[in-house]
Amino acid sequence: MTDFVLEFPPQFRWGTATAAHQVEGNNQNNQWWVWEHTAQRIQNGDKSGLACNWWQNAEADFDHMAAMHQNAHRLSVEWSRIETRDGVFDSAALERYRAMLLALRQRGVEPMVTLHHFTNPIWLEEQGGWENLELVVPRFQRFVVQVVRTLGDVCDLWCTINEPNVYAVMSYLAGRMPPGKRELGAAVRVFRNMLIAHVAAYQAIHEAQPQARVGLAHHMRVFQGLRRRHPVDNALSHLLSDVFNNSLLMALVQGRWHWLLRLGAPQSAAKLRGTLDWIGLNYYTRQRVMFDHRGGDALFSSLVNTPGVIMSDYDYGEIYPQGMLLFLRQLASYRLPIYVTENGLPDHDDDLRPGFIVQHLRMVWQAIQLGCDVRGYYHWSLVDNFEWNEGWRMRFGLIAVNTATQDRTWRTSAYLYRDIARANALSSAIVCQYTPELQSLFVA
Ligand code: IFM
């Protein structure tokens, strides 16, 4: 077989992504902590507990990043630690974040900071949280300004909100995350409020730090009709894709509400236009859509697995790398710089992850060859961490975590990712060593 080297651009960012509540431990002041201790809605009754102990010692894992030749990391700051009560800010918490960001920089790792990743302070949640537009937009803006003013000398790459669509669906439609509601109207309102809050944050960050680069992390999922020529399955998959994937982009790129968001909208979407300096893609999988006359999971659709395909642990998803290329090309059409802000899978024994990484990075490389301005790739995740309603059973880490001892063990994928990041390339030598079964993919 002929040798190949698929090189990435010289400044390409090789990173991993995490979120505060999933790794820090003892985040007792947010709605998730309450949910974990009261709702009994998490697999095996798991709790975040000490998580990966980052609040005490994230630096130990930063050493692993450096050893893996990573030059970027996406992490989030925890609102409930920083603003412990409405308007009361904890400078010690902000100092801890400063120390973490500096520790990253000292290791040659550029931080990207997410300002909202699923968790809310209890005081905010008690007043209606993201359903309460008049409350949440100014409060979020005030919090963001405080963070950017304090940490702006060590970070200028900001991700305002992680996955507004997932947050709205899981918390207000599927009822699987707090506050556990199942109301389409509430989900729509929350999603819209998050977009409005993003815009307020975008503007405030630029006022506080003119050179800031501000974007958000958008979860996109391939929806395809289950039955090939079934017109209703196909129509529904288009509808879901339009609402879940495209409505956010329609609002923030074009300044237009999707019809579902226009109903009851407090303002026109015109002001939302042009409020992304870059766009983050969180891409995981494809889902099949089947018409369900009883209502299904949403909008008369049931979401099912593609029959016969290999699934990652606990049926989280199938491996569908084509979706990565599809969405990178779509995002590139908006002429924005792109970061792949998340991509990964739960795979305890790591038998699928090496192939997953190689296949998805091959798509990222291909997108770059086609002219897409992809600046970096952040694998989800560095370490196994608390996977929300799935608790600890889903293991997303390049590095395995023993939660009883806090011991770390590199999975094979960690060595693979190190070699790719070190080479800034996918090469035949790397593919041969870790995923020989995929060599044929690289034959021209
Ligand atoms: O763990 C989550 C993360 O918090 C948001 N995006 C998807 C990941 C894996 O499910």
Side-chain angles (χ1 to χ4, degrees), residues 385-436:
N385 55 55
F386 179 70
E387 178 57 20
W388 308 113
N389 54 312
E390 297 291 348
W392 287 97
R393 70 177 192 166
M394 288 195 180
R395 300 283 171 152
F396 279 85
L398 295 170
I399 300 176
V401 173
N402 177 331
T403 46
T405 60
Q406 288 293 333
D407 285 345
R408 306 296 197 252
T409 309
W410 282 33
R411 294 190 166 102
T412 302
S413 295
Y415 296 96
L416 163 70
Y417 196 56
R418 175 199 64 188
D419 290 358
I420 296 170
R422 182 166 51 195
N424 195 35
L426 257 181
S427 66
S428 41
I430 296 172
V431 172
C432 278
Q433 184 182 348
Y434 293 97
T435 54

Side-chain angles (χ1 to χ4, degrees), residues 19 22 117-118 162-163 219 282 284 316 342 380 385 387-388 396:
Q22 294 179 269
H117 193 125
F118 292 174
N162 178 70
E163 301 178 338
H219 189 117
N282 290 6
Y284 287 86
Y316 181 86
E342 288 183 24
W380 186 276
N385 55 55
E387 178 57 20
W388 308 113
F396 279 85

Side-chain angles (χ1 to χ4, degrees), residues 5 16 27 38 67 81 99 142 152 155 186 198 204 206 223 234 289 292 307 328 333 397 409 415:
V5 180
T16 44
N27 265 323
T38 55
R81 277 193 194 276
R142 183 178 67 185
C155 181
H198 159 80
H206 275 293
F223 294 102
N234 288 332
V289 179
D292 183 342
L328 289 176
S333 73
T409 309
Y415 296 96

Side-chain angles (χ1 to χ4, degrees), residues 254-281:
Q254 298 169 355
R256 289 192 300 126
W257 291 124
H258 181 273
W259 61 261
L260 191 61
L261 301 186
R262 201 179 308 129
L263 305 169
Q267 59 183 70
S268 103
K271 277 202 236 145
L272 280 68
R273 186 177 175 175
T275 54
L276 290 170
D277 301 328
W278 54 269
I279 180 78
L281 170 64

